[in-house]
Amino acid sequence: MKHINTWQWLGFAGLIPFVVLSLLAFNHSLLSAEHVLLGFISYSAIILSFMAGALWGKAVVTVLDDNIAKLLIISNVIAIGCWVALLTPFELSALILLLSGYVYLLYVEFRSTQIATTARYMTLRTVLTSVVAICHVVVMLSLYQ
């Protein structure tokens, strides 16, 4: 039971940089707008790559078939998308790409019958992804202030 509490706690703790940087996106007294955007986009790309890697890890421990191969490819495509988001000079494009990656990854996890996930895990993933999505929208809106 203790490990369940740990992964839940770590999931929510991972939201702290998203929320803090989203709030700082409208207040540049501590960090400049450029630093906030760089921090948010880079943190988002790292976390999304990590989550895609977790999908890879889940896929390789199951019986390999064509659907598992698709999950492995999806995992790699999401990671490459994160890299592209880090390279683009257009912050809005990077934010949209990353947000799309989070939503798509959650969709893939819901649709995948090969990956054994508990309802508790999927509930947590849905809550975390929702907060992350809201933070991305907030940062997008800050670009137009």
Side-chain angles (χ1 to χ4, degrees), residues 3-144:
H3 70 280
I4 293 174
N5 292 333
T6 300
W7 62 259
Q8 289 173 325
W9 179 84
L10 289 172
F12 284 111
L15 292 177
I16 293 169
F18 283 114
V19 172
V20 169
L21 289 166
S22 296
L23 295 173
L24 288 175
F26 287 98
N27 179 358
H28 302 169
S29 60
L30 295 176
L31 292 173
S32 69
E34 294 80 21
H35 283 101
V36 171
L37 283 170
L38 177 62
F40 188 91
I41 290 169
S42 61
Y43 183 73
S44 180
I46 289 167
I47 295 301
L48 182 55
S49 288
F50 171 78
M51 296 304 299
L55 179 64
W56 174 283
K58 291 176 190 175
V60 297
V61 297
T62 61
V63 177
L64 289 178
D65 63 13
D66 288 342
N67 289 327
I68 295 302
K70 290 176 190 173
L71 291 175
L72 297 175
I73 292 167
I74 289 169
S75 173
N76 283 9
V77 168
I78 291 172
I80 290 169
C82 293
W83 178 66
V84 169
L86 288 173
L87 294 177
T88 182
F90 307 107
E91 292 91 356
L92 183 59
S93 297
L95 291 165
I96 291 170
L97 182 60
L98 292 166
L99 173 57
S100 300
Y102 282 103
V103 172
Y104 184 64
L105 183 59
L106 183 64
Y107 169 78
V108 166
E109 285 192 286
F110 265 109
R111 298 273 302 160
S112 176
T113 57
Q114 295 83 13
I115 298 176
T117 53
T118 64
R120 195 172 190 182
Y121 173 77
M122 290 312 298
T123 300
L124 178 68
R125 285 280 290 113
T126 302
V127 169
L128 296 177
T129 300
S130 298
V131 173
V132 167
I134 291 168
C135 290
H136 278 76
V137 171
V138 167
V139 173
M140 285 181 214
L141 293 172
S142 78
L143 295 174
Y144 299 101

